[in-house]
Amino acid sequence: MFAPRPIAFASTVDKDGKPNLSPFSFFNTFGIHPPIMIFSPSRRGRDATTKHTYENIKEVPEVVINVVFILHDTTSQHGQRPVPKRGE
C-alpha cells in the first residue's frame, strides 16, 4: 500500500481549446530514455461515464502529466471533486 497515494494531474484541451485538469491516482512511469508515463482515464465508478480527460484525448491526442509531490498534497485535494465541463 502506498501512503499517501501518489496523484498525477492530466492536463488536456478539447477540440475548442477549452482546458481541463483532472487528478489520477492510477498512473506509473516506465522509463526515462525515452520518458514513458501511463495513466488510466477509466470510467467513473459512480455512474460509468467517461471522464472529460478521455473525451478530450480522443479529440486532441495530447496530454501533459504533472506529478504531485507531498509538498502540494493539500492543494491537490481541492482538484479531486467532479466539476461539470464548461458549456454543459
Side-chain angles (χ1 to χ4, degrees), residues 4 6-8 11 14 21 34 36 38 41 45-47 51 54 61 70-72 77 88:
I7 299 292
S11 174
D14 67 12
L21 185 67
I36 298 172
I38 64 159
R46 292 181 201 105
D47 58 8
K51 290 188 170 190
Y54 177 69
I70 191 88
L71 180 65
H72 304 117
Q77 292 175 16
E88 288 185 358

Side-chain angles (χ1 to χ4, degrees), residues 21-51:
L21 185 67
S22 186
F24 288 89
S25 60
F26 194 65
F27 74 99
N28 211 334
T29 58
F30 287 96
I32 57 173
H33 297 293
I36 298 172
M37 180 177 277
I38 64 159
F39 74 105
S40 178
S42 59
R43 294 184 178 272
R44 292 181 183 91
R46 292 181 201 105
D47 58 8
T49 58
T50 56
K51 290 188 170 190

Side-chain angles (χ1 to χ4, degrees), residues 12 20 24 39 41-43 50-59:
T12 60
N20 179 59
F24 288 89
F39 74 105
S42 59
R43 294 184 178 272
T50 56
K51 290 188 170 190
H52 298 139
T53 302
Y54 177 69
E55 298 299 325
N56 289 351
I57 292 170
K58 289 193 312 184
E59 296 175 355

